[in-house]
Amino acid sequence: MPAREILTFQFGHYSNFVGTHWWNIQESGFEYNPSKPSEIDHDVLFREGLNPQGRVTYTPRLLLVDLKGSLRTLTQEGELYDSPGNASEVATQWPGAKVEVKEEEKEFKNEFQNDLLIEKPEVVMRKNYGLENEVKVWSDYLYSRLHPRSVNIVNEYEHCNPETPFDSFSLGTELWKTGFEDNFVDKIRNYLEECDCLQGFHVLTDCTNAFAGLSAACLEYLHDEFEHKSVLVFPSIPAHFPDNDFETVKEQVYSIMNDSVRVINTLLSFNKYVSFSSIFAPLCASQNGWRQPGTAREFYHTSFNHKLPYHSSAILASALDTATLKYRLKGSNMSLGDLSCDLTANGRKGVAASLCLPFSFNADVDFIDCLDLWEGPLYKSLAPRCSIGTERVMQHLTLRGIEEVRLKKPPNKAGKQRDMPAYQCKTIKDMLEFYLGCTTYASVSSVATATKAMPTKNPFPAFFDEWINADGNVHWAPRAETTKVDSVPVLAGFHSSTDIGTMFESLRSEAAKLKITRFHQFALERDEYEESLNDLLSFKENYEDNYLV
């Protein structure tokens, strides 16, 4: 059966934080036991190849983009293939006395990256590295190894350089037109030539800076060249911006201006995603998203530091890895195109992603009792300024990590369970769909399940509380401090409902307060900006109550 390949793009530093966790999660969950093959088809997102030494490699089918200085110890070519030589040893035609070699200050690998080269994987997975204090950029905790064509660096701009900020939508679109496009498009074609049955594209992108413009330009290219392929976009918003921690009036003014720029970038990018994507799901681990991301979202038995991109990006990656399993499981009849068609009726291309991390499941109960005793919503919305609601919802959910043997007790031991209507359900999938049918109105819920829980070994953050045991279940006794949580059950999904219109209404309201003529970096006329505001308002009308599922 063809792999139904997907090519993934990552545009921007925070999206690369999210993507790094996503690839790490997948690779740490690889199965190497022939007698117990994986239920996940990893060929959908990974590719097999050969390095110059003839060794088989298995790398993400990925093109990522970031700025100069964002890689630290990672080379642009990766480590699976030949690395470039020492600059001081390169032969030149000039006399040695007339050649001056200048080298940047050398970056040193952290303990985790060093151990990846010398230790066995089982040692690396269980060691306590304290990465919260070590991670500065996404490559500091990169476990997967990348193909040489994967990493693309924008040398015209430097990471975290306030003198030349890459901060406006216009800068991104201009970069695409002035030389970036040709080389990048060649790499896209190289990947697609390797595919037997391409089903579409994943696009993770920052939407608050100039990468919003760069990704929008790439989306327009994909739309023109591969019109019949599905494109799922994940606009990602950090849960915290460092400039929001201001202490002086001057710093406050600087932060307010930056927030305004981020709002404009988000507005312009969302309009492009409406035009050129099949479906898009904005992501933020804090509740507000724009102006300031706001307070962190709360999850059961989880305490993450939303100011650390290393933490907040792991939350988003958990949702992506689980929700996309729907069309990555072996034997699944669902495709990326099917998901898009189901969720985008009436032009509702913008959807909400959800997450329950971990799915709070007591070690000594059955699934039927877990659902019967559940209080509150099963999942939390990851869409900024948006709840999902319980009426007229079209939703696709994936639950992983709960075995069928824990569904219910056998008839001779069932007791009160036999009196529950849900006892007639014969699978985890059927029972969850039955529960959703009872707790929502005029809604359609489609559920997929996977037996294997989500891996949470190193370098995944250790932000689960002491009541989550190594197997991810909730236990009555606290977990020992030295015990690592190996995996957890997770519920995640994509949802389309009338409530999601509040997200776009909120964004337009914030953007309408701004006078675009004060922000010269966008190179926009007032009427162009007004058109963007009106376009988002028209799109928001697709979510009015008069449309039914």
Side-chain angles (χ1 to χ4, degrees):
M1 182 177 177
R4 302 184 303 165
E5 302 94 342
I6 293 175
L7 174 58
T8 301
F9 299 88
Q10 292 167 200
F11 292 96
H13 201 64
Y14 187 69
S15 292
N16 285 324
F17 264 87
V18 178
T20 297
H21 275 303
W22 191 6
W23 300 115
N24 290 347
I25 290 169
Q26 292 179 72
E27 191 153 338
S28 61
F30 284 174
E31 300 280 1
Y32 298 101
N33 185 353
S35 62
K36 189 181 178 182
S38 172
E39 57 192 328
I40 301 173
D41 186 356
H42 293 291
D43 290 338
V44 173
L45 296 180
F46 282 74
R47 62 176 291 282
E48 185 177 301
L50 291 173
N51 69 5
Q53 290 75 39
R55 296 173 184 164
V56 176
T57 61
Y58 199 57
T59 55
R61 189 177 295 105
L62 167 69
L63 287 171
L64 68 84
V65 188
D66 215 326
L67 304 182
K68 179 182 178 181
S70 62
L71 299 182
R72 294 197 72 211
T73 60
L74 178 68
T75 64
Q76 188 168 340
E77 296 77 15
E79 297 176 345
L80 289 177
Y81 293 70
D82 289 333
S83 58
N86 189 325
S88 63
E89 299 173 355
V90 176
T92 67
Q93 301 298 319
W94 293 88
K98 295 184 178 181
V99 175
E100 180 183 0
V101 177
K102 292 185 177 181
E103 296 186 57
E104 294 182 352
E105 184 177 347
K106 187 175 181 180
E107 297 277 7
F108 294 94
K109 292 180 181 290
N110 58 30
E111 185 180 5
F112 170 73
Q113 289 294 341
N114 277 323
D115 281 358
L116 286 179
L117 301 175
I118 60 176
E119 295 283 4
K120 295 181 178 180
E122 55 267 26
V123 175
V124 175
M125 289 296 182
R126 296 196 172 277
K127 196 170 178 180
N128 183 12
Y129 290 100
L131 288 173
E132 285 78 4
N133 301 318
E134 296 288 335
V135 170
K136 296 180 181 179
V137 298
W138 52 267
S139 61
D140 287 336
Y141 62 93
L142 179 66
Y143 178 73
S144 295
R145 291 300 174 249
L146 306 179
H147 190 274
R149 77 167 72 108
S150 287
V151 181
N152 300 269
I153 295 300
V154 178
N155 290 306
E156 292 89 338
Y157 297 91
E158 190 171 6
H159 177 61
C160 289
N161 185 345
E163 300 298 323
T164 56
F166 192 57
D167 63 348
S168 74
F169 188 93
S170 301
L171 289 177
T173 54
E174 187 63 26
L175 175 66
W176 178 266
K177 299 174 184 176
T178 55
F180 182 87
E181 177 184 7
D182 294 339
N183 183 50
F184 198 70
V185 164
D186 285 344
K187 292 183 177 182
I188 294 175
R189 290 171 178 158
N190 288 337
Y191 269 126
L192 300 190
E193 287 171 358
E194 301 170 350
C195 297
D196 295 323
C197 186
L198 179 77
Q199 61 173 308
F201 307 92
H202 285 155
V203 181
L204 281 73
T205 177
D206 293 4
C207 63
T208 59
N209 53 38
F211 283 107
L214 187 63
S215 64
C218 181
L219 280 171
E220 186 171 359
Y221 164 79
L222 296 177
H223 182 268
D224 292 341
E225 295 294 322
F226 310 99
E227 183 180 359
H228 300 295
K229 301 299 181 181
S230 298
V231 183
L232 174 51
V233 181
F234 300 106
S236 301
I237 302 173
H240 177 77
F241 292 100
D243 60 66
N244 292 154
D245 288 334
F246 50 79
E247 297 180 353
T248 66
V249 174
K250 183 178 180 180
E251 290 175 345
Q252 182 180 14
V253 171
Y254 177 76
S255 178
I256 291 172
M257 289 297 292
N258 284 343
D259 279 334
S260 298
V261 170
R262 291 189 279 259
V263 167
I264 297 171
N265 284 323
T266 306
L267 168 74
L268 298 177
S269 63
F270 276 25
N271 277 322
K272 293 298 184 181
Y273 305 150
V274 171
S275 299
F276 300 123
S277 74
S278 306
I279 183 174
F280 68 101
L283 303 173
C284 186
S286 288
Q287 296 181 19
N288 292 340
W290 35 81
R291 266 301 150 202
Q292 290 189 10
T295 57
R297 301 184 188 275
E298 296 181 356
F299 298 92
Y300 302 113
H301 300 288
T302 302
S303 179
F304 73 99
N305 185 348
H306 72 294
K307 294 186 177 182
L308 294 180
Y310 168 63
H311 273 199
S312 64
S313 60
I315 297 291
L316 303 186
S318 300
L320 296 187
D321 189 59
T322 301
T324 60
L325 280 180
K326 189 97 181 193
Y327 47 86
R328 295 193 291 120
L329 292 172
K330 292 179 179 176
S332 172
N333 294 322
M334 172 66 66
S335 70
L336 184 54
D338 295 332
L339 181 79
S340 301
C341 290
D342 285 351
L343 293 176
T344 58
N346 304 316
R348 296 178 177 179
K349 284 190 177 183
V351 302
S354 68
L355 177 67
C356 180
L357 174 76
F359 186 84
S360 188
F361 196 23
N362 289 357
D364 56 351
V365 304
D366 300 310
F367 188 58
I368 188 172
D369 295 322
C370 174
L371 294 180
D372 185 54
L373 297 172
W374 198 282
E375 296 182 0
L378 276 181
Y379 41 73
K380 303 291 180 68
S381 171
L382 292 177
R385 302 201 186 196
C386 170
S387 62
I388 293 170
T390 58
E391 296 186 6
R392 301 188 179 101
V393 184
M394 177 65 202
Q395 52 192 0
H396 280 269
L397 290 142
T398 303
L399 176 63
R400 66 192 304 178
I402 300 179
E403 298 180 350
E404 297 291 344
V405 295
R406 298 190 62 187
L407 176 66
K408 58 186 179 181
K409 289 183 172 58
N412 61 332
K413 298 180 180 179
K416 294 182 179 180
Q417 286 185 3
R418 297 188 65 178
D419 298 329
M420 300 180 188
Y423 191 78
Q424 303 304 315
C425 298
K426 300 186 181 302
T427 65
I428 297 291
K429 175 183 183 298
D430 292 343
M431 189 172 288
L432 182 53
E433 287 182 340
F434 181 79
Y435 176 87
L436 293 169
C438 294
T439 55
T440 57
Y441 168 74
S443 299
V444 178
S445 303
S446 175
V447 172
T449 58
T451 303
K452 185 176 178 60
M454 188 187 79
T456 55
K457 300 176 182 178
N458 284 330
F460 196 87
F463 48 40
F464 301 112
D465 70 20
E466 69 271 21
W467 304 108
I468 301 297
N469 211 346
D471 59 5
N473 290 317
V474 181
H475 281 241
W476 61 271
R479 182 183 77 253
E481 290 185 7
T482 56
T483 301
K484 176 75 175 174
V485 178
D486 292 333
S487 62
V488 294
V490 179
L491 174 68
F494 298 114
H495 313 256
S496 181
S497 71
T498 57
D499 297 77
I500 295 169
T502 60
M503 172 170 54
F504 304 108
E505 184 177 9
S506 168
L507 176 58
R508 184 194 177 279
S509 177
E510 288 291 342
K513 299 174 184 178
L514 303 174
K515 295 182 178 180
I516 193 62
T517 52
R518 297 180 59 189
F519 301 90
H520 304 290
Q521 63 267 52
F522 286 97
L524 280 177
E525 299 294 335
R526 180 185 298 177
D527 57 345
E528 293 178 291
Y529 189 63
E530 290 291 335
E531 184 179 355
S532 294
L533 292 170
N534 292 333
D535 286 345
L536 192 63
L537 179 61
S538 298
F539 176 66
K540 183 263 175 187
E541 291 175 354
N542 295 336
Y543 296 85
E544 298 295 336
D545 289 335
N546 56 315
Y547 292 101
L548 297 178
V549 172

